[in-house]
Each structure stands twice: as structure tokens, then as C-alpha cells.
Amino acid sequence: MKNYLIYCLLIFCIQAAVCSSIANAQDDTPTLINPGLRSLGSPINTLQFSEFAPTISADGKTLIYESDKSGRWRLYISYQQNGAWSEPKDMDVINNRVQPGDFIGGPCFSYDGNRLYFTSNMKGTVGGMDLWYSEKINDVWQAPKNMGRTVNTAGYDGFPCVSPDNKTLYFMRAGNSNSPTGQRCCILMYAEKRGNYFINPKALPAPVNTGCEGYPRIMADGKTLIFSSYRTSGKGGYDLYQSKKTGSKWSTPVAMEFINTPKDDELISVPASGDVIYLSNTNKNNKDDIYRLPLPKEFRPEEVVLVEGVVKNEETNKPMPAIIRVSNIKTKEKISETENDSLSGKYNLYLQKGKKYDVSVTSKGYSFQSEVYDLEKAVAYETIKKDMVLEPLKLNASFRLNNLFFDFDSASLTKESELELDRVIEMMKTNATMQVEISAHTDDMGSDAYNQKLSQLRAESVVKYLTLHGIITTRLVAKGYGESVPSVPNDTEENRAKNRRVEFKIIKL
């Protein structure tokens, strides 16, 4: 009996030791203490390995991050489906280019979701560490490309991100000093896009750069920058700071105390909604996991509006490739020009509040479609779904000039019509033998005679603008139809607005 009791006690001690060892080995408690912190859990996070440097797509539905679960760092991608993250997939088209001993890290989505920027010293690197990207074409990520000598130097260049309009690149470059912990300090750089390349990188001014900065991330408003910095006022190591741009000046960086720890804090990601932040944090097992946390209001970027949809061929109703241009309708300044996904036809735009936008979609051999988005009074993030339909240019084809506006009860064109009229001019110059009828229509408010006269005068106003800008009169016919050809019944105010229109009809090619 005594031997039996000793045996039971021995088994109990062994089991207790094993359980204690397992508990200690699997302690994934984060070092960051915040009641809103939520682990992404399985299948993203693992107990045995590290998950690090998350980048979330602008719509919050795709996650790319680093993990060492294969024995070395590689990039993985996961999609949010029905509120849960899918099993991560190895981004082998990129990872397989990285040899043992090479570095890859710091992934960052472009806001249109069509490029992934990252850092590597893989074969083809210009210097010690370079900026790279992979492009998504027809929903397939392509082999990585070096961003070239216009931004990469013989030294260290890393951790890139790009503004929502794809016009400004931010990254970090090795400086000339070391941090108190012995790490090489970096400075934050930016480069503007000219044609297809980012050129002439410059250091961001003080108070952003103070001598030891890194890991920049520009938010969806194009004005709010979050970055890491080693500063004497910090909690220790690199802390996260936020600065906002007004004109060409940056505000004094504010420490993000709700997220900073005594360890190095870096590499965060915020979707376009601006209300949540994704980060990696070291747990008590000395492994990194990925978390999400509500972003306090004082740190949220300015609200933007997501416009997304599919570009389709009017004849076949199938997706088609196109170019999407965004301009300030009041100043005519071009803000961005992007291509949609040529296979799915999908496009997405992130428009900052406070402006009125002209958005046009064009493709060679087709009509164009345009829309106005007035965000001057926008107050919250929202998603607008808008499919765009292009009609092949052929005899008798007719399409509406959506962004054409007249003064109330008048034939005088407003200045906001000029971008639309300039597109007509460009189309007619490209198709030099084309002849068109400018057809103007009204709703049923007012007498038939008055509406007929008003529509004729409006058609003539459009023709006058076109002739003053180089289109000869023999190629143009002005025709007013009054209320005689409604596109929809005049039974609601919304339908009446649809009937007040000007159309472009091809009468000769």
C-alpha cells in the first residue's frame, strides 16, 4: 500500500510538472495591456511561432503578414469570410524568390489593393536592402519587382508604403547614428511619382524626423502618418507616434500612449474605415501574435468614402479593363489615375471628404461614363457601390453626359461641366471622322413649347463650347427634344432628374 501511494504521488508530480511546463511554454499573454485588445486567434496566430507586421487591405477583408512557421520568415495571406479569417496561404510567388539567409518583411498594401510593397535583399537588390513590390493582375499576385535606383541606394532602404492616390511613397533609409540600444537609426523619406516611377527621395522635415525614425504608414486620408521613433520622452525602445499634414507642414508628433510599451512598437496597419488598428505584440512566451484594437477617436484619420464597383461592356454585360480618373471638379486638378482589374472589372477609389469629385471611366474604342461625388459635407466613412457601363463606339450609339450642368432654368453651362465637355472633345479628336448629334431633353415641368426651346438652347450651348475648342461645326448637330423623349416616366422627382439630360449620339463614323 505504501509503495502504491508513493507511485501515485510520483505520477501526480510528473503530471503537475508537465502541465506547468506546457502552461509556461504556451503563455501567449500579450505584453500590451489594453482592455480593447483582441487576438486574431487561430488560424492566424500560432503558439509555437511568431506572426508579425500585419498589413490590412483598405476594405479590411484581406490580411498579409510575416511568420516564421516554416523555419524562416515568409509572407502569408488570409481573407475574412463570414466574420472569420481563412486558413493562411503561403505567398510562394514572392517567398520562393527569397533564398536562405535573405530578408523579407514589412509588407504593405496599396489602397487600391493591386500592389504589395515590402522590403528584401533578395537577388536583384540594388543595395544592402531595397524596396520591392508585387502586382496583382487578374486576382493573381505576380513575381516581385525591384523599385529601382530612383529610390533604392547602395545602402539600406526599407519598409515602404504609398499614399491613397498612389502619388507619394514613404519609406525609411539608414541614417548616420545609432540608437542608445545600439541599433542603426533611420530617417523617414518620401518620393513623388513621375510617370511610372517614384523619384528624387527627400527626408521628411522636422518635427517628424528627429534622428531615429522608422516604419511609416500613411492613412487613407493621405494626411495622417503613423511611424516609430526613438525619443527620450518615450516608454523605451521605439514608440509609435502620429503626425498630420496640413499643406506642406507636419504637426508635432503625438505619442500613441494607448499602444506603446517598453519594447519596440512598430509596423501597424489601419483600414480605410479608420476605426481599428492592427498590430503585432510580443507575448510572454517571447513570440509575436497579431491583434486588433479600436483606434481612439483622437488618433483616427479624417473620414473618407470608398467608391467601388465593376466596369462592364454595355453590349455583353461582361467585365472589361478601363482607366479611372479622379479630378477636383471645381479646380479641374487631376487627383489620381488608375486601372481597374482587367479580368474582374473591379475598381475601388478612396475619396477624402471636403471636396467635390469628377470620376470618369474610359477605354479605347468605347464611350466614357462619369459621375460626380460631392463630399464637401461628408462626416463619416461609407461605401458607395457604383458599376460603370461603357458602350462600344458605333453608328447610332447614344450615351448620357452625366457631368454636364446648366444654371437653373437656363442654357448657360456651369464651370463644373468643363471636364465632361473636354472628354467629348478628346473623343472627337481621337475619332477624327466621327459626327455627332448633341441631344438635349427636359422633364415635363412647364409648357411643351418652353421645354422645347430650352432644350434646343442647351444643345446649342454644348455645340458652341465644342466649336470654340477646335471641333468644326460640320461634325456637330444640336437637337432639342424638350419633354418628348423621356428615358423614364415623369412620375417622381428622381425620375424627372433622370429625364433632364444631354446625350451624345453618333450619326457618322
Side-chain angles (χ1 to χ4, degrees), residues 316-363:
T316 64
N317 200 38
K318 291 183 178 180
M320 61 175 289
I323 296 173
I324 299 98
R325 294 183 180 89
V326 179
S327 302
N328 183 319
I329 199 169
K330 291 186 174 181
T331 65
K332 298 177 65 174
E333 174 196 7
K334 186 170 79 171
I335 295 172
S336 66
E337 181 176 310
T338 59
E339 296 180 2
N340 68 332
D341 187 283
S342 59
L343 183 64
S344 68
K346 292 179 180 178
Y347 76 94
N348 50 45
L349 306 169
Y350 293 89
L351 307 180
Q352 297 173 29
K353 72 172 187 178
K355 296 180 181 179
K356 192 173 183 180
Y357 297 92
D358 172 285
V359 175
S360 66
V361 178
T362 61
S363 187

Side-chain angles (χ1 to χ4, degrees), residues 492-508:
T492 65
E493 184 50 44
E494 181 181 358
N495 279 355
R496 289 190 182 95
K498 291 178 181 178
N499 286 329
R500 297 190 295 268
R501 67 197 191 279
V502 174
E503 295 178 341
F504 177 103
K505 181 179 179 181
I506 300 173
I507 58 177
K508 184 178 179 180

Side-chain angles (χ1 to χ4, degrees), residues 52-53 66 103-108 117-120 129-131 156-161 169-172 188 214-217 267:
F52 188 65
E66 305 171 37
F103 173 84
I104 186 170
C108 187
Y117 295 90
F118 59 93
T119 308
S120 183
M129 192 69 68
D130 278 2
L131 313 179
Y156 181 102
D157 300 284
F159 297 89
C161 69
L169 169 73
Y170 297 88
F171 63 100
M172 57 191 278
L188 298 184
Y215 315 106
R217 291 293 182 262
L267 292 171

